[in-house]
């Protein structure tokens, strides 16, 4: 049974890169009918926070990345790490190191001065010295001195590192908290992870982790290191390139299925397919189709995808999503006498890129917008006044329905010998405050007679003459 995991450190929000790694792990497990496990790696006591953990859980829930087991928390598993450290000490695969920070700093300083790569020199590895009193030792792995570590990465191919390149890494710190490399190995082992899918910023850790597993006589998982995500300038993706927090995209009015689609396509492909569902992703997903080179984050493409999903999104759902954005825009959508939000959304959803834009485009349905001076100057002209007044009279009695409204707009223009836009444009600006809206008869139908007439009346005084 295939078992994958996502193992974030709760030191910030859920990052776009982390979310993509999680998505790939999730999709791989789902495709193979396996299990997907969530593990919170909270051993960095200074930087881990409960808010970050919550942000990760929220982000995963929003993206629909459901997990079968967990969340497990590393800080709840300390006893187990101690037990394994004891085992390694007993079997001669690990040892206590009593070096103080100052001593380690001095060691590195000397190595640097001598033009050597700074590394732990193994001074406690076979030491028979009496340990200094009062020092809490760390536990270090006895990394093999010669030979090499080779593994076949499912994305990058074969990777080999000489053991002479690896020093004796710390497994347990003096305070009894495991290092990342130790915790991750014990957890992946205990949780029976078959495929470790993670960012390639960890590829250098893998040989070290393999050496720990070998020391334990444990089976090795398969590894798949996913290349990084870069910004358009080729630098590693960061805030400079726009939002990198998953939840920021929710706040900006993106749909989770659009972000999932985008992230899936970022560094992975299935032929030329650009728009695909979560089910299709699961069906098609395959580690061998992940690009070996880094992916470039393209916010315009994400926005385009979001638009594609918005266009076909269910009106009821969009209405719910747009509500909080509208209330920020001072729009009361709950009043009895306001347009049906589902219909408003249906009318506007093809014209916008995000739910936030949808809300901006919907404001005039819920409160009048004052037309800009330039719009008044352009459309509230002398020759429009008579047909507008005529139209106002007719609108007061017409059957309130789109076609009928359209007919009388036309009739008012014809009766005064002007083209239809000469009436429709000033009408639009009077009622919506804007020059670009969906078909004005449809807007009016939704807005209702009373509100339409009230808004027209408030603008009549701005016509000349
Ligand atoms: N906690 C590590 C991180 O967030 C996990 C790396 C891994 O998946 O092994 O980078």
């Amino acid at each position: 049974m295939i078992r994958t995991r996502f193992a974030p450190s709760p030191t910030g929000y859920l990052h776009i890169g982390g979310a993509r790694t999680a998505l790939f792990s999730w999709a791989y497990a789902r495709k193979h009918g396996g299990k997907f496990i969530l593990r919170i790696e909270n051993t960095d006591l200074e930087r881990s926070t409960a808010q970050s953990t919550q942000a990760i859980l929220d982000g995963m829930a929003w993206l629909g990345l459901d997990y079968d087991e967990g969340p497990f928390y590393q800080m709840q598993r300390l006893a187990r790490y101690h037990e394994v450290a004891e085992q390694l000490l007993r079997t001669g695969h690990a040892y206590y190191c009593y070096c103080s920070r100052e001593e380690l700093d001095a060691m590195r300083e000397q190595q640097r001065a001598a033009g050597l790569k700074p590394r732990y020199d193994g001074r406690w590895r076979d030491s028979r010295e009496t340990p200094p009193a009062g020092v809490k030792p760390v536990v270090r792995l006895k990394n093999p001195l010669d030979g090499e570590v080779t593994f076949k990465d499912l994305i990058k191919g074969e990777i080999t590192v000489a053991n002479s390149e690896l020093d004796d890494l710390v497994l347990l710190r003096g305070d009894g908290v495991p290092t990342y490399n130790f915790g991750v190995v014990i957890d992946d082992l205990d949780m029976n992870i078959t495929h470790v899918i993670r960012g390639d910023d960890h590829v250098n850790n893998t040989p070290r982790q393999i050496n720990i597993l070998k020391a334990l006589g444990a089976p090795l998982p398969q590894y798949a290191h996913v290349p990084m995500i870069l910004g358009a300038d080729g630098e590693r993706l960061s805030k400079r390139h726009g939002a990198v927090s998953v939840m920021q995209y929710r706040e900006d009015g993106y749909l989770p299925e659009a972000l999932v689609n985008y992230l899936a396509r970022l560094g992975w492909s299935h032929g030329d397919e650009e728009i695909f569902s979560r089910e299709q992703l699961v069906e098609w997903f395959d580690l061998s189709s992940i690009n070996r080179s880094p992916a470039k984050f393209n916010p315009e493409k994400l926005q385009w995808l979001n638009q594609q999903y918005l266009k076909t999104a269910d009106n009821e759902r969009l209405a719910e999503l747009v509500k909080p954005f509208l209330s920020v825009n001072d729009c009361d959508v709950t009043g009895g006498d306001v347009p049906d939000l589902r219909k408003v959304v249906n009318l506007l959803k093809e014209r916008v890129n995000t739910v936030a834009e949808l809300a901006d485009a919907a404001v005039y349905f819920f409160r009048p917008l004052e037309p800009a001076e330039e719009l008044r100057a352009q459309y509230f002209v002398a020759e429009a006044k008579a047909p507008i007044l005529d139209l106002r009279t007719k609108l007061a009695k017409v059957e309130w329905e789109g076609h009928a409204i359209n007919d009388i707009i036309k009739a008012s223009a014809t009766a005064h010998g002007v083209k239809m836009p000469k009436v429709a444009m000033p009408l639009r600006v009077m009622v919506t405050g804007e020059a670009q809206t969906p078909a004005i008869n449809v807007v009016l139908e939704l807005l209702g007679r009373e509100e339409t007439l009230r808004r027209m009346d408030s603008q009549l005084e701005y016509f000349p003459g």
Side-chain angles (χ1 to χ4, degrees):
M1 149 104 63
I2 291 203
R3 292 172 61 88
T4 66
R5 70 354 180 239
F6 178 48
S9 305
T11 55
Y13 42 71
L14 179 58
H15 187 276
I16 285 289
R20 187 190 55 157
T21 308
L23 176 64
F24 286 175
S25 291
W26 173 88
Y28 194 69
R30 291 288 169 265
K31 166 162 186 147
H32 294 283
K35 299 274 186 232
F36 175 59
I37 290 127
L38 177 62
R39 180 170 77 229
I40 305 292
E41 303 205 323
N42 57 347
T43 53
D44 184 338
L45 302 182
E46 261 155 44
R47 295 173 60 226
S48 299
T49 64
Q51 291 95 300
S52 297
T53 299
Q54 195 54 50
I56 291 166
L57 298 179
D58 291 347
M60 292 188 62
W62 184 58
L63 293 175
L65 300 179
D66 55 321
Y67 35 90
D68 305 296
E69 293 171 26
F72 297 109
Y73 294 87
Q74 288 194 316
M75 286 309 285
Q76 293 175 0
R77 290 178 38 79
L78 292 184
R80 173 65 181 146
Y81 308 129
H82 294 180
E83 180 182 78
V84 181
E86 289 294 333
Q87 182 190 335
L88 288 169
L89 285 164
R90 242 187 356 256
T91 54
H93 289 291
Y95 61 94
Y96 287 113
C97 164
Y98 293 85
C99 284
S100 64
R101 176 157 300 281
E102 294 71 33
E103 217 178 320
L104 290 171
D105 288 346
M107 187 190 302
R108 287 199 196 97
E109 230 10 83
Q110 277 172 7
Q111 288 164 335
R112 262 193 217 109
L116 299 170
K117 200 164 123 187
R119 67 212 305 266
Y120 177 67
D121 64 5
R123 64 181 63 175
W124 284 95
R125 183 171 168 123
D126 296 307
S127 172
R128 289 171 196 275
E129 255 178 71
T130 316
V135 177
K136 284 226 167 94
V138 301
V139 176
R140 286 185 186 269
L141 177 74
K142 254 189 197 171
N143 198 76
L145 296 173
D146 33 50
E148 52 192 30
V149 186
T150 295
F151 66 99
K152 197 168 170 310
D153 189 273
L154 296 173
I155 297 169
K156 292 177 180 290
E158 191 167 287
I159 295 178
T160 300
V161 176
N163 273 319
S164 56
E165 292 292 312
L166 309 170
D167 56 5
D168 288 349
L169 79 137
V170 174
L171 303 175
L172 275 188
R173 300 192 184 92
D175 60 4
V177 176
T179 55
Y180 155 69
N181 277 307
F182 190 47
V184 88
V185 163
I186 306 314
D187 288 353
D188 286 341
L189 181 62
D190 287 354
M191 296 169 194
N192 295 311
I193 301 303
T194 58
H195 291 72
V196 170
I197 300 170
R198 64 183 164 204
D200 73 358
D201 47 338
H202 285 291
V203 74
N204 291 334
N205 286 317
T206 304
R208 302 169 194 281
Q209 296 179 10
I210 289 176
N211 279 341
I212 301 175
L213 286 166
K214 284 185 176 162
L216 289 168
L220 304 184
Q222 308 238 50
Y223 294 95
H225 288 94
V226 182
M228 294 284 97
I229 303 176
L230 308 178
D233 56 2
E235 297 289 319
R236 197 172 159 171
L237 188 66
S238 73
K239 277 192 191 141
R240 286 184 301 115
H241 302 106
V244 286
S245 149
V246 164
M247 293 313 257
Q248 186 63 47
Y249 284 93
R250 175 159 92 165
E251 279 159 39
D252 292 347
Y254 284 77
L255 297 176
E257 61 270 35
L259 189 53
V260 163
N261 189 155
Y262 180 72
L263 290 177
R265 199 46 201 85
L266 195 55
W268 173 83
S269 55
H270 179 78
D272 294 330
E273 305 284 348
E274 291 294 348
I275 302 180
F276 44 83
S277 66
R278 177 184 296 271
E279 291 70 31
Q280 284 167 315
L281 167 65
V282 167
E283 188 187 328
W284 298 335
F285 189 73
D286 176 2
L287 291 171
S288 59
S289 303
I290 294 179
N291 286 346
R292 285 182 176 206
S293 44
K296 275 206 177 145
F297 189 72
N298 180 344
E300 289 83 35
K301 187 168 168 196
L302 170 54
Q303 197 174 68
W304 173 81
L305 262 176
N306 200 55
Q307 194 202 5
Q308 306 309 307
Y309 280 95
L310 269 181
K311 275 199 237 175
T312 52
D314 175 65
N315 295 327
E316 193 98 34
R317 172 181 175 218
L318 281 183
E320 283 310 310
L321 289 176
V322 82
K323 272 183 192 166
F325 290 90
L326 277 167
S327 63
V328 172
N329 276 336
D330 286 333
C331 293
D332 179 11
V333 297
T334 54
D337 220 17
V338 295
D340 183 337
L341 189 51
R342 289 165 305 186
K343 290 187 180 160
V344 171
V345 153
N346 186 47
L347 191 59
L348 298 171
K349 66 184 179 183
E350 293 206 14
R351 309 166 68 93
V352 294
N353 295 312
T354 63
V355 180
E357 284 182 23
L358 185 60
D360 288 342
V363 168
Y364 59 73
F365 282 99
F366 301 97
R367 62 178 167 84
L369 290 178
E370 207 51 27
E373 254 339 294
E374 305 86 75
L375 289 182
R376 283 191 183 127
Q378 189 179 350
Y379 296 112
F380 296 2
V381 293
E383 64 170 331
K385 189 167 183 181
I388 283 288
L389 286 172
D390 187 9
L391 176 62
R392 196 233 170 266
T393 315
K394 289 178 174 144
L395 282 174
K397 352 184 245 265
V398 71
E399 180 203 350
W400 204 257
E401 183 276 324
H403 294 288
I405 296 172
N406 198 46
D407 288 347
I408 61 155
I409 298 174
K410 249 190 224 155
S412 310
T414 316
H416 295 266
V418 294
K419 293 226 161 71
M420 180 143 159
K422 274 280 180 241
V423 183
M425 283 309 297
L427 170 66
R428 172 175 277 124
V429 173
M430 292 170 93
V431 173
T432 70
E434 290 181 6
Q436 275 166 356
T437 71
I440 192 62
N441 58 320
V442 182
V443 172
L444 260 47
E445 181 181 353
L446 285 183
L447 202 55
R449 188 195 317 266
E450 246 177 77
E451 184 64 14
T452 299
L453 297 181
R454 196 169 8 214
R455 290 186 189 184
M456 287 183 82
D457 291 346
S458 77
Q459 297 300 315
L460 283 172
E461 59 176 298
Y462 295 99
F463 281 75

